[in-house]
Amino acid sequence: MAKVPYVDKDECTGCGDCVENLPSVFQLDDDDIAEVKDPKGASEEEIQGAIDDCPAEAISWKES
Ligand code: SF4
């Protein structure tokens, strides 16, 4: 079981921080809400940084 990042779209405010910091992992959808485009696009440490930095606490890990 690997853990992958997950964006709770109900919590995301669309601030874009995660997309700016890790564009290899996150992107904004058509509604300007973040989504994961490549869960393996960065190291676990880098993704944890995006989780810690999300002002809405909208990103978390889930088991894939
Ligand atoms: Fe949404 Fe958090 Fe990413 Fe901002 S940092 S776009 S609130 S998931």
Side-chain angles (χ1 to χ4, degrees):
M1 291 268 278
K3 59 181 184 177
V4 295
Y6 166 78
V7 175
D8 183 340
K9 292 189 173 223
D10 291 333
E11 297 296 330
C12 173
T13 62
C15 74
D17 283 1
C18 60
V19 179
E20 194 170 314
N21 293 336
L22 282 184
S24 55
V25 177
F26 300 99
Q27 64 187 6
L28 293 179
D29 68 12
D30 293 341
D31 296 320
D32 282 342
I33 296 299
E35 62 187 8
V36 174
K37 71 173 182 184
D38 181 1
K40 300 193 182 307
S43 70
E44 190 174 314
E45 290 74 20
E46 289 173 311
I47 293 171
Q48 184 62 54
I51 290 173
D52 294 341
D53 289 345
C54 172
E57 298 185 7
I59 313 170
S60 58
W61 293 109
K62 71 171 187 177
E63 300 294 332
S64 65

